[in-house]
Amino acid sequence: MTQVITVTPVGGVATMGPGFYNVASYGASPGGTGNQTPYFAAAVAAMPTTGGTLYVGPGNYPLYQWAITKPIKVVGPGAVLTNFSASTDGSNYIVGIQSNGVSLEIGIEGDVSVGAQPAPDACILISTNAGVAYTDVRIQGCTIVGGRYGINSTLMQDSWITDNHIYGQWDYGIVGLTSCSRVFINDNVIRDVYRNSGVRIGALSLTPAVNDLDICGNIVTNCGIAGDQDGLDISTANGSRVRLDGNTISECPGAIEIKVFTAGTAYTDISICNNICTSSANTATGCDIACNFVGDLQDHLKRVLIQGNQLSTLRAPGGTFGIIVQSSFADLSILDNTIHGPSYCIRIDMASAFNLTRPVIRGNVINGGYGLYVTGSASETIVSGVIADNDITYLYNAIYSPTGGPLWTTPEIVDNRFRRLVTNGSGGPAMRLTGIQGGVIADNKVKCFGSALSIETGLTNTSVVVTGNKFDTSDATNGDDCIDITAATGTIEIYGNSLRPRATFGRGWVQPSGAATVLAGSNDRGVSAAQPTVAGSLGDVFYDSTPGAGATYWICTVAGDSGAATWTAQ
């Protein structure tokens, strides 16, 4: 039964209606300098076990370890719960939630310091119930200032942290949730967190599960500068269904990081979408979205979607990474992102015999140092990948894979547009590839100042098909030829491409020096009114006018440099 409290107004203390309890009725004094915790505790003790609504009038109320043990709602327009104790022993908090069904809508203010750890250890501490998560906890519409942590929790489920303004913390704005399910951290403003992340979920040293976690619509800025940390940080051993959507993250050393620990099982269904991540020129890594792994578990991240994000740093190349993947994945999709300025716009680091299965990198608009940079060794494999419909403006390479690996089996590199960022100076190849096994490179448009495509040695290339591309290296200052396969191995088919190498000296492609078989033909070199005298590759074709019925054309029957190639009229 709901208790009804009738209080004779004394000193401006109002009479409350059914289910409402005024903390002033139990002795609390706004603006008082003493510890107000006993009066808050007395008000809660007067409530039935089913709880009620605690009203806190305008003013400041110093508290020390106020433990809420009933399902109550705390409201306080104009009220601020402040820190009474200067202790930083690890146990000091202002408000402790120790019940299901607690709701807070009030200001909470700890100390603010960047010179030393301030008190309290947590403005809000959500404890565990003998290892069982509290449920239906709602922290919404609060202003939470200072302290070591704004909100510190361990286990939660079916709970909401929404519409809060959290700032000035020493270590984290929101930290904990080492195990959680159905938790929503949405529409908060989190800023000016000195050492660490704005939001840190999970712990690598444990084996928790993080399931059904939403972190959406938050504004996170100027967090983690001193500790080189990220705006949003998810660290877990296992779990599924994590969604980070519509967040705006700025001026943090990193934007979003997902870390997975070896002790767990596969982590599945991660969605990182529609976030805006920016940094200025003076931050180290800046706008990155990172998926990392600690240990040697195989295929531990499955069904990961990174889509529609806007990542930018104000220098090009500037912040180190846009999207970085350091992990073993199945079904990784990087789609429709806009990435501007990083040295490595998309970087995939493969190690410890990791595999990357069925990756799709499609529809991204990229401007930076490297478009897609992949590292690894012969013991790692990228299986059945698709790189398609991307628009990449690059400084070093649009796609880069080192000589030592990894292996790429049956990749499809199709319908991309690549162009170099600057128009002078030497430039590397637009695509520098190695270890291609049965791949297709088709229908790409490339304008660059080195080779358009370079297939390197180090790993055997087999059955690579290069067709339907438009490669223009006519302004090249480093590498005359459109396709450089001098170091390639295996079988390479080059046909039906439009090739515009450097004038006079450039060839469509260069005969390999090693054990490679090249099948080439019908590669369009353009228009020549007279028999060409330029360098040529077998199967290169010049037309005397627009190709068509009755047109005369010259085909290169003997490859060679300028003046040495043989062009035969057909």
Side-chain angles (χ1 to χ4, degrees):
M1 180 177 179
T2 301
Q3 181 176 356
V4 179
I5 302 292
T6 302
V7 179
T8 302
V10 177
V13 178
T15 301
M16 309 305 295
F20 277 78
Y21 300 78
N22 190 334
V23 71
S25 300
Y26 298 87
S29 174
T33 58
N35 184 4
Q36 303 290 298
T37 309
Y39 312 120
F40 279 68
V44 175
M47 297 181 184
T49 57
T50 55
T53 298
L54 181 66
Y55 173 80
V56 183
N60 294 340
Y61 300 82
L63 299 179
Y64 174 68
Q65 294 184 344
W66 176 40
I68 301 175
T69 57
K70 294 178 181 178
I72 71 170
K73 180 177 183 178
V74 181
V75 296
V80 179
L81 310 181
T82 62
N83 179 51
F84 176 75
S85 171
S87 173
T88 57
D89 62 1
S91 63
N92 183 17
Y93 58 86
I94 297 175
V95 178
I97 295 176
Q98 299 178 14
S99 171
N100 299 324
V102 174
S103 175
L104 300 180
E105 298 178 19
I106 196 167
I108 303 173
E109 185 172 320
D111 300 335
V112 177
S113 171
V114 296
Q117 178 184 320
D121 296 287
C123 291
I124 300 174
L125 177 65
I126 305 174
S127 304
T128 62
N129 180 17
V132 178
Y134 288 119
T135 63
D136 194 26
V137 173
R138 298 170 185 261
I139 302 171
Q140 54 193 26
C142 299
T143 297
I144 303 170
V145 183
R148 182 178 183 183
Y149 310 127
I151 301 172
N152 185 10
S153 176
T154 49
L155 309 179
M156 287 179 69
Q157 67 183 35
D158 298 304
S159 296
W160 290 262
I161 301 173
T162 59
D163 297 303
N164 301 289
H165 189 180
I166 302 171
Y167 66 94
Q169 281 71 41
W170 167 264
D171 254 343
Y172 296 98
I174 300 172
V175 67
L177 299 180
T178 53
S179 184
C180 69
S181 60
R182 299 180 299 280
V183 172
F184 303 87
I185 302 174
N186 296 343
D187 302 315
N188 302 283
V189 175
I190 304 168
R191 62 178 177 87
D192 302 326
V193 176
Y194 177 61
R195 292 205 311 175
N196 287 305
S197 302
V199 178
R200 166 71 183 272
I201 303 300
L204 287 178
S205 59
L206 303 174
T207 56
V210 176
N211 297 307
D212 296 297
L213 172 67
D214 270 26
I215 302 179
C216 302
N218 301 284
I219 298 173
V220 181
T221 186
N222 197 37
C223 296
I225 302 297
D228 194 25
Q229 296 297 310
D230 302 278
L232 303 177
D233 186 342
I234 314 297
S235 304
T236 185
N238 57 76
S240 63
R241 298 179 301 280
V242 171
R243 187 168 71 105
L244 294 89
D245 196 317
N247 301 286
T248 299
I249 305 164
S250 63
E251 304 311 320
C252 302
I256 297 171
E257 184 164 24
I258 307 288
K259 292 193 290 286
V260 181
F261 188 52
T262 49
T265 57
Y267 202 47
T268 62
D269 298 303
I270 299 171
S271 172
I272 305 173
C273 299
N274 306 311
N275 301 285
I276 299 174
C277 309
T278 63
S279 69
S280 65
N282 58 6
T283 55
T285 55
C287 63
D288 67 309
I289 292 176
C291 295
N292 302 322
F293 179 63
V294 181
D296 57 3
L297 183 67
Q298 291 292 313
D299 294 331
H300 55 280
L301 284 170
K302 297 182 178 180
R303 297 188 297 278
V304 177
L305 174 64
I306 303 174
Q307 184 173 24
N309 302 284
Q310 299 179 43
L311 316 177
S312 66
T313 182
L314 297 184
R315 51 181 177 167
T320 304
F321 304 114
I323 296 171
I324 178 169
V325 174
Q326 298 173 305
S327 197
S328 180
F329 278 82
D331 300 310
L332 167 68
S333 298
I334 301 176
L335 310 176
D336 305 319
N337 301 282
T338 300
I339 306 172
H340 178 82
S343 296
Y344 303 90
C345 293
I346 300 176
R347 176 163 175 157
I348 299 174
D349 289 343
M350 303 181 66
S352 304
F354 284 167
N355 292 324
L356 185 58
T357 306
R358 297 178 300 278
V360 178
I361 301 173
R362 184 190 298 275
N364 301 284
V365 177
I366 293 172
N367 186 324
Y370 295 95
L372 171 61
Y373 186 98
V374 182
T375 66
S377 69
S379 62
E380 290 92 46
T381 303
I382 301 175
V383 180
S384 302
V386 175
I387 303 170
D389 301 310
N390 300 287
D391 190 325
I392 300 178
T393 302
Y394 66 93
L395 181 60
Y396 307 123
N397 305 96
I399 302 176
Y400 177 90
S401 178
T403 301
L407 293 171
W408 295 41
T409 64
T410 60
E412 298 178 28
I413 303 174
V414 297
D415 292 312
N416 299 284
R417 182 182 179 187
F418 302 147
R419 57 192 180 278
R420 192 158 182 257
L421 185 64
V422 296
T423 58
N424 54 59
S426 61
M431 292 177 277
R432 184 186 189 277
L433 308 176
T434 188
I436 304 296
Q437 310 272 310
V440 175
I441 302 169
D443 302 316
N444 301 285
K445 296 180 180 179
V446 179
K447 173 69 174 176
C448 60
F449 303 91
S451 297
L453 171 64
S454 178
I455 298 179
E456 305 286 335
T457 188
L459 298 173
T460 300
N461 306 286
T462 62
S463 302
V464 180
V465 176
V466 182
T467 185
N469 301 283
K470 294 183 178 180
F471 292 161
D472 185 346
T473 63
S474 57
D475 296 325
T477 57
N478 181 30
D480 300 321
D481 310 303
C482 288
I483 302 173
D484 182 358
I485 52 174
T486 54
T489 58
T491 300
I492 300 174
E493 299 181 40
I494 304 172
Y495 63 89
N497 301 284
S498 173
L499 307 178
R500 300 294 184 269
R502 186 180 180 188
T504 306
F505 303 104
R507 288 173 287 182
W509 58 275
V510 183
Q511 185 68 34
S513 58
T517 300
V518 179
L519 305 175
S522 301
N523 293 299
D524 178 5
R525 287 285 302 275
V527 175
S528 177
Q531 184 176 22
T533 59
V534 298
S537 308
L538 291 177
D540 286 0
V541 176
F542 273 100
Y543 295 88
D544 69 343
S545 61
T546 302
T552 299
Y553 62 92
W554 290 272
I555 185 168
C556 183
T557 54
V558 177
D561 293 329
S562 176
T566 299
W567 296 90
T568 303
Q570 301 291 316

